[in-house]
Amino acid sequence: MIIRATSLLVSLIVASAPAAAQYVIPLTTGDGRVGCTQGMTGIGRPQLWEAVRDETAPGGWALSEVAGDSTDLHFPFCIDTQMAARDFDATMRFKIVSGIREQAAGLMFRARDATDYYVARASALDGTVKLYRMLGGRRSQLASAPMPVKAGNWSEMRVVATKGKIEVSLDGKLALSFTDRSSPQAGTIGVWTQSDSKVLFSSLLVSAATTRPY
């Protein structure tokens, strides 16, 4: 599955707009449909994302992957193919509900296709925040930090990426900072999960990369 961006509009917004400007990644629609493009990395059953009723989510809907495949190397995602950004400041609101094999919520970014992207993920199962690079369909860990991740509560993950520097925070606390020595390129942004994780995603906002206190 190729997920290269088809429009430079948001890339231009992210590169040049004031810090206050934000782009809302369309995870769900007002009438209860999936608003992003579904895909998957790895093996297992095909991904199945659905809009789920949740009165605590904006507009009353949240996005969730419901296939329930317990395969470890099963990474469903849902992205906005109409935008591309290399440098950005993104905030994702999520609630981990359950999962036996894994309980992970991820923010996927700089995605060139289904086998080439970065992802920051929080796991309630092992209480960590990790940064991965997926390249050629193979996942490698770039950084990891212990961080309490509570299932059943809404949380916010923030990723600020500026050239080679990537910072990931959870609920207002800086979790990890990583310097990428490669030459990162612009790519799409979306939500990501693993295995049988049951996660609700309520919003994903993207703006120009700025320095803000944690």
Side-chain angles (χ1 to χ4, degrees), residues 147-205:
M147 181 72 70
V149 183
K150 294 183 180 180
N153 293 348
W154 284 107
S155 294
E156 282 191 353
M157 174 182 284
R158 179 183 170 215
V159 176
V160 181
T162 308
K163 295 183 180 179
K165 187 175 183 179
I166 301 171
E167 294 182 333
V168 182
S169 65
L170 185 67
D171 294 330
K173 296 180 179 180
L174 181 63
L176 57 87
S177 179
F178 176 78
T179 300
D180 189 354
R181 301 298 181 183
S182 66
S183 300
Q185 300 181 51
T188 55
I189 299 176
V191 298
W192 175 102
T193 188
Q194 179 180 355
S195 191
D196 62 348
S197 303
K198 174 69 173 179
V199 184
L200 301 181
F201 297 93
S202 68
S203 63
L204 179 52
L205 306 177

Short mmCIF file of all heavy atoms in Angstrom, two decimals, residues 147-205:
data_model
loop_
_atom_site.label_atom_id
_atom_site.label_comp_id
_atom_site.label_asym_id
_atom_site.label_seq_id
_atom_site.Cartn_x
_atom_site.Cartn_y
_atom_site.Cartn_z
N MET A 147 7.64 5.24 31.62
CA MET A 147 6.65 6.30 31.80
C MET A 147 5.31 5.65 32.13
O MET A 147 4.84 4.80 31.38
CB MET A 147 6.52 7.13 30.53
CG MET A 147 5.52 8.28 30.58
SD MET A 147 6.07 9.67 31.60
CE MET A 147 7.39 10.34 30.59
N PRO A 148 4.69 6.02 33.25
CA PRO A 148 3.38 5.44 33.58
C PRO A 148 2.36 5.78 32.50
O PRO A 148 2.21 6.94 32.11
CB PRO A 148 3.02 6.10 34.91
CG PRO A 148 4.32 6.58 35.47
CD PRO A 148 5.16 6.95 34.29
N VAL A 149 1.69 4.75 31.99
CA VAL A 149 0.64 4.91 30.99
C VAL A 149 -0.59 4.20 31.53
O VAL A 149 -0.59 2.98 31.65
CB VAL A 149 1.05 4.32 29.63
CG1 VAL A 149 -0.04 4.57 28.59
CG2 VAL A 149 2.39 4.89 29.16
N LYS A 150 -1.62 4.95 31.87
CA LYS A 150 -2.78 4.37 32.52
C LYS A 150 -3.86 4.00 31.51
O LYS A 150 -4.32 4.83 30.73
CB LYS A 150 -3.36 5.37 33.53
CG LYS A 150 -2.44 5.66 34.71
CD LYS A 150 -3.10 6.60 35.71
CE LYS A 150 -2.19 6.88 36.88
NZ LYS A 150 -2.82 7.80 37.86
N ALA A 151 -4.25 2.73 31.54
CA ALA A 151 -5.37 2.29 30.72
C ALA A 151 -6.66 2.83 31.33
O ALA A 151 -6.78 3.00 32.54
CB ALA A 151 -5.41 0.77 30.67
N GLY A 152 -7.62 3.13 30.48
CA GLY A 152 -8.92 3.60 30.94
C GLY A 152 -9.01 5.11 31.10
O GLY A 152 -10.09 5.63 31.40
N ASN A 153 -7.89 5.82 30.93
CA ASN A 153 -7.86 7.28 31.05
C ASN A 153 -7.47 7.91 29.72
O ASN A 153 -6.65 7.36 28.98
CB ASN A 153 -6.85 7.73 32.11
CG ASN A 153 -7.25 7.32 33.51
OD1 ASN A 153 -8.37 6.90 33.75
ND2 ASN A 153 -6.32 7.43 34.44
N TRP A 154 -8.04 9.08 29.45
CA TRP A 154 -7.59 9.83 28.28
C TRP A 154 -6.21 10.40 28.56
O TRP A 154 -5.94 10.93 29.63
CB TRP A 154 -8.56 10.97 27.96
CG TRP A 154 -9.84 10.51 27.31
CD1 TRP A 154 -11.07 10.45 27.87
CD2 TRP A 154 -9.99 10.04 25.96
NE1 TRP A 154 -11.99 9.97 26.97
CE2 TRP A 154 -11.36 9.71 25.79
CE3 TRP A 154 -9.12 9.87 24.88
CZ2 TRP A 154 -11.86 9.23 24.59
CZ3 TRP A 154 -9.62 9.37 23.68
CH2 TRP A 154 -10.98 9.06 23.55
N SER A 155 -5.33 10.28 27.57
CA SER A 155 -3.97 10.81 27.67
C SER A 155 -3.65 11.59 26.40
O SER A 155 -4.33 11.46 25.38
CB SER A 155 -2.95 9.68 27.84
OG SER A 155 -3.12 9.03 29.08
N GLU A 156 -2.58 12.40 26.48
CA GLU A 156 -2.12 13.15 25.32
C GLU A 156 -0.66 12.85 25.04
O GLU A 156 0.17 12.93 25.95
CB GLU A 156 -2.28 14.66 25.54
CG GLU A 156 -3.70 15.16 25.35
CD GLU A 156 -3.77 16.67 25.31
OE1 GLU A 156 -2.75 17.34 25.55
OE2 GLU A 156 -4.87 17.19 25.01
N MET A 157 -0.38 12.48 23.82
CA MET A 157 1.00 12.33 23.37
C MET A 157 1.32 13.50 22.44
O MET A 157 0.56 13.82 21.54
CB MET A 157 1.23 11.01 22.64
CG MET A 157 2.63 10.90 22.03
SD MET A 157 2.88 9.35 21.12
CE MET A 157 3.10 8.20 22.50
N ARG A 158 2.48 14.11 22.66
CA ARG A 158 2.92 15.20 21.82
C ARG A 158 4.26 14.84 21.21
O ARG A 158 5.17 14.39 21.91
CB ARG A 158 3.05 16.49 22.64
CG ARG A 158 3.55 17.69 21.83
CD ARG A 158 3.70 18.90 22.73
NE ARG A 158 4.40 19.99 22.04
CZ ARG A 158 5.23 20.82 22.63
NH1 ARG A 158 5.50 20.70 23.92
NH2 ARG A 158 5.81 21.79 21.94
N VAL A 159 4.38 15.02 19.90
CA VAL A 159 5.63 14.78 19.19
C VAL A 159 6.03 16.06 18.48
O VAL A 159 5.25 16.62 17.71
CB VAL A 159 5.51 13.63 18.17
CG1 VAL A 159 6.80 13.48 17.37
CG2 VAL A 159 5.17 12.32 18.87
N VAL A 160 7.23 16.53 18.76
CA VAL A 160 7.79 17.71 18.08
C VAL A 160 8.99 17.23 17.29
O VAL A 160 9.96 16.73 17.86
CB VAL A 160 8.19 18.81 19.07
CG1 VAL A 160 8.75 20.02 18.31
CG2 VAL A 160 7.00 19.23 19.92
N ALA A 161 8.93 17.37 15.97
CA ALA A 161 10.02 16.93 15.10
C ALA A 161 10.54 18.12 14.31
O ALA A 161 9.77 18.79 13.61
CB ALA A 161 9.53 15.84 14.15
N THR A 162 11.82 18.40 14.45
CA THR A 162 12.46 19.50 13.73
C THR A 162 13.79 19.00 13.18
O THR A 162 14.73 18.77 13.93
CB THR A 162 12.72 20.71 14.65
OG1 THR A 162 11.50 21.06 15.33
CG2 THR A 162 13.19 21.90 13.85
N LYS A 163 13.83 18.79 11.86
CA LYS A 163 14.99 18.21 11.20
C LYS A 163 15.35 16.90 11.89
O LYS A 163 14.57 15.98 11.90
CB LYS A 163 16.14 19.21 11.21
CG LYS A 163 15.85 20.47 10.39
CD LYS A 163 17.04 21.40 10.36
CE LYS A 163 16.73 22.65 9.55
NZ LYS A 163 17.86 23.60 9.52
N GLY A 164 16.53 16.82 12.52
CA GLY A 164 16.95 15.57 13.11
C GLY A 164 16.55 15.38 14.55
O GLY A 164 16.82 14.33 15.14
N LYS A 165 15.91 16.36 15.17
CA LYS A 165 15.55 16.26 16.57
C LYS A 165 14.09 15.87 16.74
O LYS A 165 13.20 16.47 16.15
CB LYS A 165 15.81 17.58 17.30
CG LYS A 165 15.62 17.50 18.81
CD LYS A 165 16.00 18.79 19.50
CE LYS A 165 15.88 18.66 21.01
NZ LYS A 165 16.26 19.92 21.71
N ILE A 166 13.85 14.86 17.55
CA ILE A 166 12.50 14.38 17.83
C ILE A 166 12.30 14.34 19.33
O ILE A 166 13.08 13.71 20.06
CB ILE A 166 12.27 12.97 17.25
CG1 ILE A 166 12.49 12.97 15.72
CG2 ILE A 166 10.86 12.48 17.58
CD1 ILE A 166 12.49 11.59 15.11
N GLU A 167 11.26 15.01 19.82
CA GLU A 167 10.92 14.99 21.24
C GLU A 167 9.52 14.42 21.41
O GLU A 167 8.60 14.78 20.67
CB GLU A 167 10.99 16.39 21.84
CG GLU A 167 12.39 16.97 21.87
CD GLU A 167 12.43 18.35 22.51
OE1 GLU A 167 11.39 19.05 22.46
OE2 GLU A 167 13.48 18.72 23.06
N VAL A 168 9.38 13.54 22.38
CA VAL A 168 8.08 12.91 22.65
C VAL A 168 7.71 13.17 24.11
O VAL A 168 8.51 12.93 25.02
CB VAL A 168 8.13 11.39 22.40
CG1 VAL A 168 6.77 10.76 22.65
CG2 VAL A 168 8.62 11.09 20.98
N SER A 169 6.51 13.68 24.34
CA SER A 169 6.04 13.90 25.70
C SER A 169 4.71 13.19 25.90
O SER A 169 3.99 12.90 24.94
CB SER A 169 5.87 15.39 26.00
OG SER A 169 4.86 15.95 25.18
N LEU A 170 4.39 12.90 27.15
CA LEU A 170 3.14 12.26 27.50
C LEU A 170 2.50 13.01 28.65
O LEU A 170 3.13 13.20 29.70
CB LEU A 170 3.37 10.79 27.89
CG LEU A 170 2.12 9.96 28.16
CD1 LEU A 170 1.32 9.77 26.89
CD2 LEU A 170 2.48 8.60 28.76
N ASP A 171 1.29 13.48 28.44
CA ASP A 171 0.54 14.23 29.46
C ASP A 171 1.37 15.37 30.04
O ASP A 171 1.43 15.57 31.26
CB ASP A 171 0.07 13.28 30.56
CG ASP A 171 -0.97 12.28 30.05
OD1 ASP A 171 -1.72 12.62 29.13
OD2 ASP A 171 -1.01 11.15 30.58
N GLY A 172 2.03 16.11 29.15
CA GLY A 172 2.75 17.30 29.55
C GLY A 172 4.14 17.07 30.09
O GLY A 172 4.84 18.03 30.44
N LYS A 173 4.60 15.81 30.13
CA LYS A 173 5.94 15.51 30.65
C LYS A 173 6.82 14.96 29.53
O LYS A 173 6.42 14.04 28.82
CB LYS A 173 5.88 14.50 31.79
CG LYS A 173 5.13 15.00 33.02
CD LYS A 173 5.11 13.95 34.12
CE LYS A 173 4.38 14.45 35.35
NZ LYS A 173 4.35 13.41 36.44
N LEU A 174 8.01 15.54 29.38
CA LEU A 174 8.93 15.07 28.36
C LEU A 174 9.36 13.64 28.68
O LEU A 174 9.88 13.35 29.75
CB LEU A 174 10.16 15.97 28.30
CG LEU A 174 11.20 15.61 27.24
CD1 LEU A 174 10.64 15.72 25.84
CD2 LEU A 174 12.43 16.50 27.39
N ALA A 175 9.12 12.73 27.74
CA ALA A 175 9.47 11.33 27.94
C ALA A 175 10.84 11.01 27.35
O ALA A 175 11.66 10.36 28.00
CB ALA A 175 8.41 10.43 27.31
N LEU A 176 11.11 11.48 26.14
CA LEU A 176 12.38 11.18 25.51
C LEU A 176 12.70 12.19 24.43
O LEU A 176 11.82 12.84 23.87
CB LEU A 176 12.40 9.75 24.95
CG LEU A 176 11.33 9.35 23.93
CD1 LEU A 176 11.76 9.70 22.51
CD2 LEU A 176 11.03 7.86 24.04
N SER A 177 13.99 12.31 24.15
CA SER A 177 14.49 13.18 23.10
C SER A 177 15.53 12.38 22.31
O SER A 177 16.38 11.71 22.90
CB SER A 177 15.12 14.45 23.68
OG SER A 177 15.62 15.29 22.67
N PHE A 178 15.44 12.46 20.98
CA PHE A 178 16.33 11.66 20.14
C PHE A 178 16.83 12.51 18.99
O PHE A 178 16.10 13.30 18.40
CB PHE A 178 15.56 10.45 19.58
CG PHE A 178 16.37 9.61 18.62
CD1 PHE A 178 17.32 8.73 19.09
CD2 PHE A 178 16.17 9.72 17.26
CE1 PHE A 178 18.07 7.95 18.21
CE2 PHE A 178 16.90 8.95 16.37
CZ PHE A 178 17.86 8.06 16.85
N THR A 179 18.11 12.36 18.68
CA THR A 179 18.71 13.05 17.54
C THR A 179 18.95 12.04 16.42
O THR A 179 19.71 11.08 16.58
CB THR A 179 20.04 13.71 17.92
OG1 THR A 179 19.80 14.67 18.96
CG2 THR A 179 20.64 14.43 16.72
N ASP A 180 18.27 12.27 15.31
CA ASP A 180 18.33 11.38 14.15
C ASP A 180 19.45 11.85 13.23
O ASP A 180 19.41 12.96 12.71
CB ASP A 180 16.97 11.41 13.43
CG ASP A 180 16.88 10.35 12.35
OD1 ASP A 180 17.88 9.67 12.09
OD2 ASP A 180 15.79 10.21 11.76
N ARG A 181 20.44 11.00 12.99
CA ARG A 181 21.59 11.36 12.17
C ARG A 181 21.34 11.12 10.69
O ARG A 181 22.19 11.44 9.85
CB ARG A 181 22.82 10.55 12.59
CG ARG A 181 23.21 10.73 14.05
CD ARG A 181 23.59 12.17 14.37
NE ARG A 181 23.98 12.31 15.78
CZ ARG A 181 24.30 13.45 16.35
NH1 ARG A 181 24.25 14.57 15.63
NH2 ARG A 181 24.64 13.52 17.63
N SER A 182 20.18 10.55 10.35
CA SER A 182 19.86 10.32 8.95
C SER A 182 19.34 11.62 8.33
O SER A 182 19.40 12.68 8.96
CB SER A 182 18.82 9.21 8.81
OG SER A 182 17.58 9.61 9.37
N SER A 183 18.83 11.56 7.14
CA SER A 183 18.27 12.74 6.47
C SER A 183 16.76 12.58 6.35
O SER A 183 16.27 12.07 5.34
CB SER A 183 18.91 12.92 5.08
OG SER A 183 20.30 13.08 5.18
N PRO A 184 16.02 12.96 7.40
CA PRO A 184 14.57 12.74 7.39
C PRO A 184 13.88 13.52 6.29
O PRO A 184 14.29 14.63 5.93
CB PRO A 184 14.13 13.21 8.78
CG PRO A 184 15.19 14.17 9.21
CD PRO A 184 16.47 13.65 8.62
N GLN A 185 12.82 12.94 5.76
CA GLN A 185 12.04 13.56 4.70
C GLN A 185 10.59 13.75 5.16
O GLN A 185 10.15 13.14 6.13
CB GLN A 185 12.07 12.71 3.43
CG GLN A 185 13.47 12.49 2.87
CD GLN A 185 13.44 11.67 1.61
OE1 GLN A 185 12.71 11.95 0.67
NE2 GLN A 185 14.25 10.61 1.58
N ALA A 186 9.88 14.58 4.44
CA ALA A 186 8.46 14.80 4.76
C ALA A 186 7.66 13.53 4.50
O ALA A 186 7.99 12.73 3.63
CB ALA A 186 7.91 15.95 3.92
N GLY A 187 6.62 13.36 5.29
CA GLY A 187 5.74 12.22 5.11
C GLY A 187 4.41 12.46 5.81
O GLY A 187 4.22 13.49 6.45
N THR A 188 3.52 11.52 5.70
CA THR A 188 2.19 11.67 6.26
C THR A 188 2.18 11.37 7.76
O THR A 188 3.13 10.82 8.31
CB THR A 188 1.19 10.76 5.54
OG1 THR A 188 1.68 9.41 5.58
CG2 THR A 188 1.03 11.18 4.10
N ILE A 189 1.08 11.72 8.41
CA ILE A 189 0.93 11.59 9.86
C ILE A 189 -0.40 10.89 10.16
O ILE A 189 -1.39 11.11 9.47
CB ILE A 189 0.96 12.96 10.55
CG1 ILE A 189 2.30 13.65 10.28
CG2 ILE A 189 0.73 12.83 12.06
CD1 ILE A 189 2.39 15.06 10.83
N GLY A 190 -0.41 10.05 11.19
CA GLY A 190 -1.64 9.38 11.57
C GLY A 190 -1.51 8.66 12.89
O GLY A 190 -0.57 8.88 13.65
N VAL A 191 -2.46 7.79 13.16
CA VAL A 191 -2.46 7.01 14.40
C VAL A 191 -2.09 5.56 14.09
O VAL A 191 -2.29 5.08 12.97
CB VAL A 191 -3.82 7.09 15.13
CG1 VAL A 191 -4.12 8.52 15.53
CG2 VAL A 191 -4.95 6.55 14.25
N TRP A 192 -1.59 4.86 15.10
CA TRP A 192 -0.98 3.53 14.90
C TRP A 192 -1.20 2.72 16.17
O TRP A 192 -1.25 3.25 17.28
CB TRP A 192 0.50 3.76 14.64
CG TRP A 192 1.44 2.61 14.52
CD1 TRP A 192 1.94 2.10 13.36
CD2 TRP A 192 2.09 1.87 15.56
NE1 TRP A 192 2.85 1.09 13.61
CE2 TRP A 192 2.95 0.94 14.96
CE3 TRP A 192 2.01 1.90 16.95
CZ2 TRP A 192 3.73 0.04 15.70
CZ3 TRP A 192 2.79 1.02 17.69
CH2 TRP A 192 3.63 0.10 17.05
N THR A 193 -1.32 1.42 16.00
CA THR A 193 -1.42 0.56 17.17
C THR A 193 -0.79 -0.79 16.86
O THR A 193 -0.25 -1.01 15.76
CB THR A 193 -2.88 0.43 17.63
OG1 THR A 193 -2.92 -0.26 18.88
CG2 THR A 193 -3.73 -0.29 16.61
N GLN A 194 -0.83 -1.69 17.81
CA GLN A 194 -0.13 -2.97 17.67
C GLN A 194 -0.96 -4.12 18.21
O GLN A 194 -1.61 -3.99 19.26
CB GLN A 194 1.21 -2.92 18.40
CG GLN A 194 2.02 -4.23 18.32
CD GLN A 194 3.33 -4.16 19.06
OE1 GLN A 194 3.73 -3.11 19.57
NE2 GLN A 194 4.06 -5.28 19.12
N SER A 195 -0.91 -5.23 17.51
CA SER A 195 -1.49 -6.49 17.96
C SER A 195 -2.97 -6.31 18.33
O SER A 195 -3.74 -5.72 17.57
CB SER A 195 -0.66 -7.03 19.13
OG SER A 195 -1.01 -8.35 19.45
N ASP A 196 -3.36 -6.81 19.51
CA ASP A 196 -4.78 -6.77 19.91
C ASP A 196 -5.11 -5.57 20.80
O ASP A 196 -6.11 -5.59 21.52
CB ASP A 196 -5.16 -8.07 20.63
CG ASP A 196 -4.37 -8.29 21.91
OD1 ASP A 196 -3.37 -7.57 22.14
OD2 ASP A 196 -4.75 -9.19 22.69
N SER A 197 -4.29 -4.53 20.73
CA SER A 197 -4.55 -3.32 21.53
C SER A 197 -5.92 -2.74 21.18
O SER A 197 -6.24 -2.54 20.02
CB SER A 197 -3.48 -2.26 21.26
OG SER A 197 -2.19 -2.74 21.53
N LYS A 198 -6.71 -2.47 22.20
CA LYS A 198 -7.98 -1.78 22.03
C LYS A 198 -7.77 -0.35 22.50
O LYS A 198 -7.59 -0.09 23.70
CB LYS A 198 -9.08 -2.46 22.86
CG LYS A 198 -10.42 -1.73 22.84
CD LYS A 198 -11.09 -1.78 21.50
CE LYS A 198 -12.50 -1.19 21.58
NZ LYS A 198 -13.20 -1.21 20.28
N VAL A 199 -7.75 0.59 21.56
CA VAL A 199 -7.44 1.98 21.86
C VAL A 199 -8.47 2.88 21.18
O VAL A 199 -8.86 2.63 20.04
CB VAL A 199 -6.03 2.36 21.36
CG1 VAL A 199 -5.69 3.79 21.76
CG2 VAL A 199 -4.98 1.39 21.89
N LEU A 200 -8.89 3.93 21.88
CA LEU A 200 -9.73 4.96 21.29
C LEU A 200 -8.87 6.19 21.01
O LEU A 200 -8.15 6.65 21.89
CB LEU A 200 -10.88 5.34 22.24
CG LEU A 200 -11.84 4.24 22.66
CD1 LEU A 200 -12.92 4.81 23.58
CD2 LEU A 200 -12.46 3.55 21.46
N PHE A 201 -8.94 6.69 19.79
CA PHE A 201 -8.25 7.91 19.40
C PHE A 201 -9.30 8.99 19.16
O PHE A 201 -10.19 8.81 18.31
CB PHE A 201 -7.42 7.70 18.13
CG PHE A 201 -6.32 6.69 18.27
CD1 PHE A 201 -6.53 5.36 17.94
CD2 PHE A 201 -5.07 7.07 18.73
CE1 PHE A 201 -5.52 4.42 18.05
CE2 PHE A 201 -4.05 6.14 18.86
CZ PHE A 201 -4.27 4.81 18.51
N SER A 202 -9.21 10.10 19.88
CA SER A 202 -10.27 11.11 19.76
C SER A 202 -9.85 12.30 18.91
O SER A 202 -10.71 12.96 18.32
CB SER A 202 -10.70 11.60 21.14
OG SER A 202 -9.67 12.35 21.77
N SER A 203 -8.55 12.62 18.84
CA SER A 203 -8.13 13.76 18.03
C SER A 203 -6.65 13.68 17.73
O SER A 203 -5.88 13.05 18.47
CB SER A 203 -8.43 15.08 18.75
OG SER A 203 -7.70 15.19 19.96
N LEU A 204 -6.25 14.33 16.62
CA LEU A 204 -4.85 14.45 16.25
C LEU A 204 -4.68 15.80 15.58
O LEU A 204 -5.23 16.05 14.51
CB LEU A 204 -4.43 13.32 15.31
CG LEU A 204 -2.99 13.32 14.80
CD1 LEU A 204 -2.00 13.43 15.95
CD2 LEU A 204 -2.71 12.07 13.97
N LEU A 205 -3.94 16.70 16.24
CA LEU A 205 -3.76 18.06 15.77
C LEU A 205 -2.30 18.28 15.37
O LEU A 205 -1.39 17.83 16.08
CB LEU A 205 -4.13 19.07 16.85
CG LEU A 205 -5.54 18.93 17.46
CD1 LEU A 205 -5.72 19.96 18.58
CD2 LEU A 205 -6.61 19.10 16.40
#
